[in-house]
Amino acid sequence: MTFSTPDTFRPVILDDVRGAQKMLSGVARMTAMEGSRHLSQLVGAPVHFKCENLQRTGSFKLRGAYVRIAGLRPEERAAGVVAASAGNHAQGVALASALLGVRSTVFMPVGAPLPKVAATREYGADVRLYGQVVDETMAAAQDYAEATGAVFIHPFDHPDIIAGQGTVGLEILEQCPEVRTILVGVGGGGLAAGIAVAVKAVRPDVQVIGVQPEGAAAYPPSLAAGRPVSISAPVTMADGIKVGRPGDVPFKIIGELLDEVRTVSEDALSSALLLCLERAKLVVEPAGASPVAALLSDPKSFRGPVVAVLSGGNVDPLLMQRILRHGMAAAGRYLSLRLRLTDRPGALAAMLGALTVLDANVLDVSHVRTDPRLGLTEVEVELQLETKGPAHCDQVAAALREAGYRVTVTG
């Protein structure tokens, strides 16, 4: 089921993006460009963050949603708009509609994070929870549009959406005129397509590289096939770019203008999110951290100066907690080990005292006394430690062995 207007497949050109930029004046912020000394050292060239996580509603989505809704005819505005989203697009549509005086209905999955649901309602949308996955939610929104006449606002598959997102590219050229590479996360492709249209028209020498999670990478097989193809059951923590099929409109642009689409692992995503938080003091969602993950995965393969687009910062606190733990593990900040002690009073205290001297923080301790492998006077202790990194892990294990303990590193 599609809800295309006659101009859905018109080409998107630089003038469209420039027109969108004028329309967004006073609506969307020109977000900050922040340098990253740590990544600059890894890459061997300046690296900057384009901080769309600091945009109104917490992501770039307001740009495209506002341009799309502002372009509706009076009778379309009177009918209202409807959208489907797990978070960022929902908030962008809700705020854009409120600013333009248009009634909005937003369908969100039943399991959508409560902070995102609350924010969407606060921006003025009528939020309806439906379905367990976004595909079910999208179908419900399209059925609502067909039944009521409301205009369905697609998250990425429309020229106006792409033109609005392309204003990020114009701002990058203004804020970092010496840029040579732009990295941007790719889901359906609206943001990457918009940036490519704007940047390649002005600076064709600048590389624009898309980044997708390995478990939700629909663009590489689609580009190889020459048409959008669906992947089954995409899996990734980066829900903002967890899209099973490229959009028809952005796919054509990306196929023509993007230099490359890379994929990154879940470990790289969690490490990137941790780096943004620790080093840059920026709260970034996994989708927004995907360009940073690409830089961490292969830092010497990019021409600098590099701009990494941090596309959003709307991350559920519970998910953030899990991701940070995962990121610390991926960065070698946790050490799990087993060691044997003589089962006598004071043995455990002495071992823990040794860890204190080594400046390793004990997170968990468990005793095993009944394993048949153990001697009559032995006890096995399993430890999980928080460390300062891989080198510190090696130092802790080596020091315990030198102290006479039989140590097995388990993770």
Side-chain angles (χ1 to χ4, degrees):
M1 185 184 300
T2 60
F3 292 84
S4 301
T5 57
D7 64 349
T8 295
F9 293 103
R10 73 176 189 272
V12 184
I13 61 175
L14 179 61
D15 283 347
D16 296 321
V17 183
R18 285 179 169 157
Q21 189 175 45
K22 292 179 182 178
M23 188 180 295
L24 288 167
S25 177
V27 176
R29 299 178 181 133
M30 177 183 278
T31 51
M33 187 82 75
E34 298 287 345
S36 172
R37 183 169 60 180
H38 176 71
L39 286 175
S40 297
Q41 290 173 343
L42 290 179
V43 172
V47 174
H48 306 281
F49 294 150
K50 175 58 172 168
C51 299
E52 282 295 289
N53 58 312
L54 303 180
Q55 184 57 262
R56 296 177 72 179
T57 76
S59 86
F60 70 96
K61 288 288 190 177
L62 172 64
R63 297 173 183 264
Y66 188 91
V67 172
R68 173 77 173 100
I69 297 169
L72 296 177
R73 299 186 300 274
E75 62 271 23
E76 291 176 318
R77 291 196 188 194
V81 299
V82 60
S85 167
N88 289 346
H89 181 58
Q91 293 173 69
V93 168
L95 178 57
S97 298
L99 293 172
L100 291 164
V102 176
R103 184 177 69 259
S104 65
T105 302
V106 176
F107 285 78
M108 303 182 76
V110 172
L114 293 178
K116 294 184 179 182
V117 174
T120 304
R121 284 195 172 116
E122 288 172 7
Y123 288 129
D126 174 15
V127 175
R128 304 190 181 192
L129 301 180
Y130 185 90
Q132 300 300 318
V133 296
V134 174
D135 286 345
E136 295 173 356
T137 309
M138 185 84 74
Q142 291 175 329
D143 288 344
Y144 178 89
E146 190 172 66
T148 66
V151 179
F152 179 66
I153 306 299
H154 199 284
F156 48 81
D157 211 8
H158 193 279
D160 290 345
I161 294 285
I162 292 169
Q165 321 305 28
T167 59
V168 175
L170 293 181
E171 290 180 13
I172 289 172
L173 293 179
E174 180 179 343
Q175 293 170 298
C176 185
E178 69 278 13
V179 63
R180 297 183 70 195
T181 302
I182 298 172
L183 294 171
V184 55
V186 179
L191 177 61
I195 289 175
V197 167
V199 171
K200 291 292 188 178
V202 180
R203 287 276 309 280
D205 59 301
V206 174
Q207 286 194 317
V208 182
I209 297 175
V211 184
Q212 292 201 292
E214 290 175 352
Y219 264 91
S222 296
L223 291 170
R227 58 182 174 80
V229 298
S230 299
I231 58 171
S232 59
V235 178
T236 178
M237 68 176 75
D239 59 341
I241 50 176
K242 184 181 176 181
V243 177
R245 182 187 184 278
D248 292 317
V249 182
F251 176 79
K252 186 174 187 302
I253 296 169
I254 285 174
E256 292 174 355
L257 297 181
L258 231 65
D259 293 276
E260 185 182 355
V261 175
R262 298 194 179 195
T263 61
V264 293
S265 69
E266 297 297 288
D267 281 352
L269 284 170
S270 56
S271 295
L273 188 145
L274 183 63
L275 182 144
C276 289
L277 188 63
E278 282 194 323
R279 297 297 184 97
K281 315 307 178 193
L282 291 169
V283 175
V284 182
E285 62 190 85
S290 57
V292 180
L295 287 168
L296 290 175
S297 299
D298 194 4
K300 297 300 184 184
S301 64
F302 300 101
R303 297 186 309 175
V306 177
V307 172
V309 181
L310 307 183
S311 57
N314 293 316
V315 56
D316 180 61
L318 294 177
L319 176 62
M320 171 72 88
Q321 187 179 44
R322 294 197 298 271
I323 292 171
L324 289 179
R325 285 200 300 265
H326 189 270
M328 290 182 71
R333 298 276 293 277
Y334 290 138
L335 173 63
S336 298
L337 48 81
R338 292 196 308 267
L339 63 162
R340 294 187 182 185
L341 306 177
T342 303
D343 193 8
R344 59 177 175 78
L348 179 60
M351 186 269 294
L352 293 175
L355 289 173
T356 301
V357 173
L358 295 167
D359 202 20
N361 184 36
V362 179
L363 299 176
D364 189 50
V365 181
S366 63
H367 284 77
V368 178
R369 283 192 169 88
T370 57
D371 194 307
R373 297 172 302 164
L374 297 174
L376 185 63
T377 61
E378 288 183 320
V379 60
E380 188 170 75
V381 177
E382 295 182 350
L383 293 170
Q384 187 175 32
L385 308 174
E386 181 182 350
T387 68
K388 299 174 182 177
H392 191 210
C393 289
D394 294 341
Q395 178 189 355
V396 169
L400 288 173
R401 291 188 180 104
E402 289 175 7
Y405 296 105
R406 295 171 56 187
V407 177
T408 302
V409 176
T410 58

